[in-house]
Amino acid sequence: MRPFRYERADEVSAAVTTLVRDPEAAYLAGGTNLVDLMRLEVATPELLIDVRRLTSDRIEELPDGGLRIGAAVPNSDLAADPRVRRRYPVLSQALLSGASGQLRNLATTGGNLLQRTRCPYFQDITTACNKRTPGAGCSAMEGYQRDMAVLGTSPTCVATHPSDMAVALAALDAVVTVAGPASERRIRLTELHRLPEADPERDTVLARGELITRVELPPPHSALRSRYRKVRDRASYAFALVSVAAALEVTDGAVRDARIALGGVAHKPWRATTAEAILRGAPATRESFVDAAAAELAAARPLPGNAFKVPLARNTMVATLLELLEEAR
């Protein structure tokens, strides 16, 4: 690991100003991803600005029945909170499937959203990677492809976003608040992360210096049931080959509302809007679920080494919806 300087900011505005002025500075919260990347010399900041004490570590009730989650709330606290487990089980399940207990104790809500890809070529500085070095090329195109994306890819990058929590938040219509050099702004979780397009080095829409301060969840509908299902190579501490965060509301045998997000298949948490649109108003049956999943995956462009992800994502989506339908009966 290269030498670096460390500062603890006293207020958000000071941290933002420092990061804007110093191109070699980076925010440090839990550090569970950043420190790993520094050890690999993928990330080489000269200055770390500790922001963990600048944002709230509390989960608070909102007047409308939703929740406000401070950016410094540890993943373990968020997963264990009785309100989250009762009202948003998909979020608690996603967090518990995401990492070891030790990592969840340290990782923060804001940091989880901003973790970098786990693509082996991004983490190996001896290989070509457009995300790490723009214009260098993408080694995955002719290399190891099993974990790569099948939706929203570009010729420049086929890496996937690793967060489980972000997939659940995408399905829940969460909103992220960030503090920046000019002012505070709110960003829908589904719009926070971006597809690779021509500049895959940019994971999010955040401008230089912007800092996530909180995440807000809308109030859940009393009849909306939710679940997170993760398919991985081993039972614990592995990133998703495919994951599904789904919420389903059924009335009189028909789908009144459906919210679905996929993980492990794209450069960002993938909100399955095509499937949702097909399901709303449709009969709550296996046939409807199969048709919706097939329509969503019709846009997939797999590589030879990860073509299995398309039927895997389709089947996982259908299985998750069927589980929710059974709960609703």
Side-chain angles (χ1 to χ4, degrees), residues 22-314:
D22 189 340
E24 301 302 323
Y27 290 137
L28 174 69
T32 58
N33 182 214
L34 177 60
V35 173
D36 283 344
L37 294 178
M38 291 174 65
R39 287 171 176 160
L40 295 169
E41 296 192 2
V42 174
T44 56
E46 294 180 0
L47 170 63
L48 292 183
I49 306 169
D50 191 333
V51 297
R52 184 158 190 148
R53 292 172 176 80
L54 296 185
T55 57
S56 173
D57 62 355
R58 299 178 59 191
I59 304 168
E60 301 171 300
E61 295 276 355
L62 292 172
D64 62 2
L67 290 179
R68 176 184 294 120
I69 305 163
V73 172
N75 287 178
S76 55
D77 290 1
L78 185 58
D81 187 275
R83 295 162 295 184
V84 174
R85 295 176 63 186
R86 183 174 62 254
R87 302 181 207 171
Y88 312 95
V90 64
L91 177 56
S92 181
Q93 292 164 8
L95 285 160
L96 291 174
S97 72
S100 67
Q102 294 93 331
L103 287 176
R104 290 196 299 269
N105 288 340
L106 189 61
T108 62
T109 299
N112 187 302
L113 291 175
L114 298 180
Q115 60 184 303
R116 305 298 304 274
T117 181
R118 261 48 177 206
C119 173
Y121 300 109
F122 173 69
Q123 295 183 320
D124 182 355
I125 61 174
T126 68
T127 62
C129 172
N130 287 319
K131 180 176 285 294
R132 192 181 63 249
T133 308
C138 176
S139 295
M141 291 298 185
E142 302 295 334
Y144 178 79
Q145 301 171 344
R146 177 175 172 80
D147 297 329
M148 304 305 167
V150 298
L151 290 167
T153 61
S154 82
T156 64
C157 184
V158 289
T160 55
H161 191 269
S163 172
D164 293 285
M165 183 191 77
V167 179
L169 291 176
L172 291 171
D173 293 322
V175 176
V176 176
T177 298
V178 300
S183 61
E184 187 176 82
R185 64 172 175 145
R186 290 164 57 85
I187 307 169
R188 294 179 60 188
L189 195 285
T190 52
E191 298 172 356
L192 174 65
H193 303 95
R194 56 184 301 282
L195 295 176
E197 300 171 333
D199 49 351
E201 70 276 10
R202 293 183 57 224
D203 292 339
T204 71
V205 299
L206 297 184
R208 178 71 182 172
E210 286 191 314
L211 174 68
I212 293 177
T213 57
R214 60 185 179 272
V215 176
E216 292 183 1
L217 296 176
H221 193 282
S222 59
L224 198 67
R225 291 169 171 80
S226 67
R227 179 180 292 269
Y228 187 76
R229 190 181 183 109
K230 181 176 181 177
V231 181
R232 47 191 167 181
D233 283 328
R234 57 182 184 271
S236 66
Y237 198 36
F239 297 102
L241 291 171
V242 167
S243 65
V244 175
L248 186 70
E249 182 180 353
V250 176
T251 304
D252 298 328
V255 177
R256 181 175 179 181
D257 192 14
R259 304 174 194 174
I260 306 167
L262 306 179
V265 297
H267 197 257
K268 60 180 287 185
W270 186 270
R271 184 68 182 258
T273 54
T274 299
E276 292 175 353
I278 290 173
L279 285 174
R280 292 189 182 104
T285 62
R286 173 186 285 272
E287 291 73 20
S288 294
F289 299 160
V290 170
D291 290 345
E296 188 65 47
L297 273 299
R301 297 294 180 266
L303 298 165
N306 68 358
F308 73 94
K309 280 195 174 188
V310 178
L312 182 61
R314 182 175 61 244

Side-chain angles (χ1 to χ4, degrees), residues 299-324:
R301 297 294 180 266
L303 298 165
N306 68 358
F308 73 94
K309 280 195 174 188
V310 178
L312 182 61
R314 182 175 61 244
N315 295 341
T316 305
M317 193 187 308
V318 172
T320 307
L321 292 170
L322 286 172
E323 288 178 351
L324 290 171

